[in-house]
Amino acid sequence: MNTIRLDLIRESLEGTIPGIVATCSADGMPNVAYLSQTEYVDQRHIALSYQFFNTTRRNVLENPHARLIVTHPQSAERHRLLIRYLRTETAGPLFERMRAKLAGIASHTGMSGVFRLLGSDVYAVLDIERVPAAALPAAPPRRSLLAALRATTDTMAAAADLETLLTDTLAALKRHFGMGHAMVLMLDAAHEKLYTVASLGYERSGVGSEIRVGDGVIGMAARHATPIRIGHMTLDAAYGRAIRAEALDGGLAGALETEIPLPGLPESRSQLAVPVRAAGRLLGILYAESAQDLRFGYDEEDALAALAAQLGAAVLHHQHAADTHDDAAPTEPVMPAGTPVEVRRYAENDSVFLDGEYLIKGVAGTILWAMLHDYTDRGRVRFSNRELRLDPRIRLPDLSDNLEARLILLRRRLDEHDACVRLVSAGRGLLRLEVRRPLRLVEVAGPPR
Amino acid sequence: MNPPQAVRIDDELARFIGGEVSISVGSCDAARLPNLTRGFGCRVCDGHERIRIFVSRAQSRAVLADLATNRRIAVVFTLPATHRTVQFKGTDARVLSLADGDLECVRRYREGFVAHLAALGFGADTVAHMVGCPDDELAAIEFTPDAAFTQTPGPRAGQPLRQP
C-alpha cells in the first residue's frame, strides 16, 4: 500500500527536472531512461509518454514493472515509485492532454520535430517511497486556491444574468487567482466551432471571434471535453492560434473581411483551457493564459475545473431563466432623423455590414437582421428571448443553443462599434432596440464582395 | 544480450561521462523488479576499460543489494544542455569503499553539475540537493561496460554506440 499520496507529489511529475525510469528485460538486464513526460492520471495511476519504440518499451511489454524517480522542481525532494504497465492509449482525453503538453515541452527543450506522442502508457502506481536525502523546504504556495475559488464562486452566485456572470467571473479570476488574461468561449455545436463571448486582459476584446473545435489548445479541450494545459510556449502549429479560415474554404477568396481576430497574448507561455459543462453536455471553454512559463500547475487546473463546473450550471440556469418571460408588449418607437445608415446583409453567411463595415455574421447576424426588419417594417423595438428562440427566420441550430450568449455577443459587437443601433436589456429575457439614425436595409444574395 | 566484451571508452567519451552529466544507475532483483538511484560523479579507470561511479548508500539500498546479488548494472549519462545521452551496461558490478581521489572527484562533479544546471536556469540550491549526501554515505560502484548505447532523444535512441 502507498503511504504517500500521489496527488501530493504531482508537482514532481511536471517534468521540470526530468523523471528517470528503470525497467528490466525478461532475461533480467536492467535499463535506464530519461522521461520527457509523466502525467498524473488519478490517485493510483500515472501515464508516461511513448514516443519511440525503445528498450524501456520493449522491457515493459516483457516485464511490466518499472521504477521511477521524480524530483520536486524547487525542493529537490525525490520520490521513487514502483509502477506496473497496464495499457497504451492512442486517442482520447488523456492522450490529447499529453500530446498538447508534449508539444510545449518539445518546443521548450529544442526537441520540436523529435518529440511526437505515439501513445500514453498508463501504469498502476504500486508503491511510493521518499528517497532518504536532505531537501529544501517547500516554497509557500503563491496563494490559497481554495480561498480564491470560494471568493469567485461567491461572485458567480451573486450574478443576476448571464452577461454579469461572465464579466464578473473573469474579473474574479484576475482578482482572486491573479489570472489577468482569460476568456470564455461558447460552443456552437451545429457548426463545430466556439465563439468568444467574454474576455479580459486583451487590447481588443475579440468578442465574436471564432475557433474551430479541434483547433489549438482551446479547440482540443472542446473536442475531448478535457482540460488542456501547456507550461511552455509551443512552436507546434497544431497548437498555434489557428483562426477559422472558412471564408476561404467556401470559395470566398477576396471577400470582405468577416473574421474577428481571436484575442491572445503574443508570447503565450502557459495556457489552460477547461471545458465548461452542465447537464452532461459541453457548453463552452474557460481559457486562461500567461506570458510566464509553468504558470498553471495541477492545482490551478483543479481550481479552474471546479470553477468551470459552477460556471456551467450558472450559464444553463441563466439561459433558461431568460426564456421564462412572456412576449414583449409593443411600445411606441421613436423614429430618428438624419442620414440613413445602410445595413447590408449577405445571405450566404448571414453577415451584416453597417455602412460597409463588418459587424457580425452567423446566428447573431440573423438575429440582428430579423430585429431590424421588424423595426423598419413595423416600428417594433421590444423583443423577448422566447420570441426570438421561436422565430422561424432565426433558425437556431438546435434547442440547446445558447441564445442568451448570442445576444450578449451581438450587444457587445454593437457597443464596440459604437453603432447607431444598440441592444439594451429591458428586464429579464427582454430586449429593447435603440436606433439613433434611420436605417436602409439591403439584402444581397451572393457572398460579400 | 551482447557478448561480454569490453566497450572501449575513448578520451572524448571519458571526458563526457566524467563531466557535468546527470547520472542514473539501474539494477534489478531476482524477481526482475527494477531499482534505480542517482549517481554523483564518475571516473574512468583501468586503461579506459572500467567505469567507477559514486552513489549514496542510504539513497541506494535496493540497488546496492541487487548489485551484490547479480552484478548487473545499467548506467545512463546525459548532458542537460544538449540532451546527449549514453547508456552503459555491465554484468560485473562491484560495490566498493571510496579510494584515494574519489571524494575529490565527487566534489568536483557536484560543483560542475550545479554550475551547468544553474546556467540553464535551475536553482543552484535545488540542484545541489539533487546530488547531495554526507561524505560517509558515499560508496563506489565499479564495472566493465560490455555494451554501450546512444540514447539521445530521437529515433536512433537505443542503438549501440558507434565505436571509434
Side-chain angles (χ1 to χ4, degrees), chain B residues 72-109:
Chain B
R72 292 174 165 194
I73 191 167
V75 184
V76 165
F77 301 88
T78 188
L79 188 68
T82 63
H83 306 292
R84 179 184 174 190
T85 307
V86 177
Q87 175 155 208
F88 292 94
K89 297 197 182 183
T91 52
D92 67 348
R94 286 187 304 153
V95 181
L96 306 163
S97 300
L98 294 202
D100 279 354
D102 283 352
L103 205 52
E104 196 42 49
C105 173
V106 171
R107 283 184 185 143
R108 240 190 351 260
Y109 166 77

Side-chain angles (χ1 to χ4, degrees), chain A residues 66-115:
Chain A
R67 192 78 65 169
L68 197 66
I69 290 181
V70 294
T71 307
H72 190 277
Q74 282 90 39
S75 74
E77 186 175 45
R78 275 171 283 156
H79 286 92
R80 205 155 16 205
L81 282 65
L82 177 64
I83 59 179
R84 191 180 67 237
Y85 171 73
L86 294 178
R87 65 179 184 277
T88 299
E89 295 185 8
T90 56
L94 174 66
F95 179 77
E96 293 302 337
R97 275 203 321 262
M98 291 184 70
R99 187 159 76 157
K101 215 179 265 186
L102 186 64
I105 294 168
S107 300
H108 184 66
T109 54
M111 287 287 163
S112 289
V114 177
F115 285 178

Side-chain angles (χ1 to χ4, degrees), chain A residues 156 274-279 283 286 303-315:
Chain A
M156 292 163 77
V274 181
V276 177
R277 302 174 74 224
L283 302 180
L286 174 62
L304 247 58
L307 197 152
Q310 175 95 351
L311 183 64
V315 165

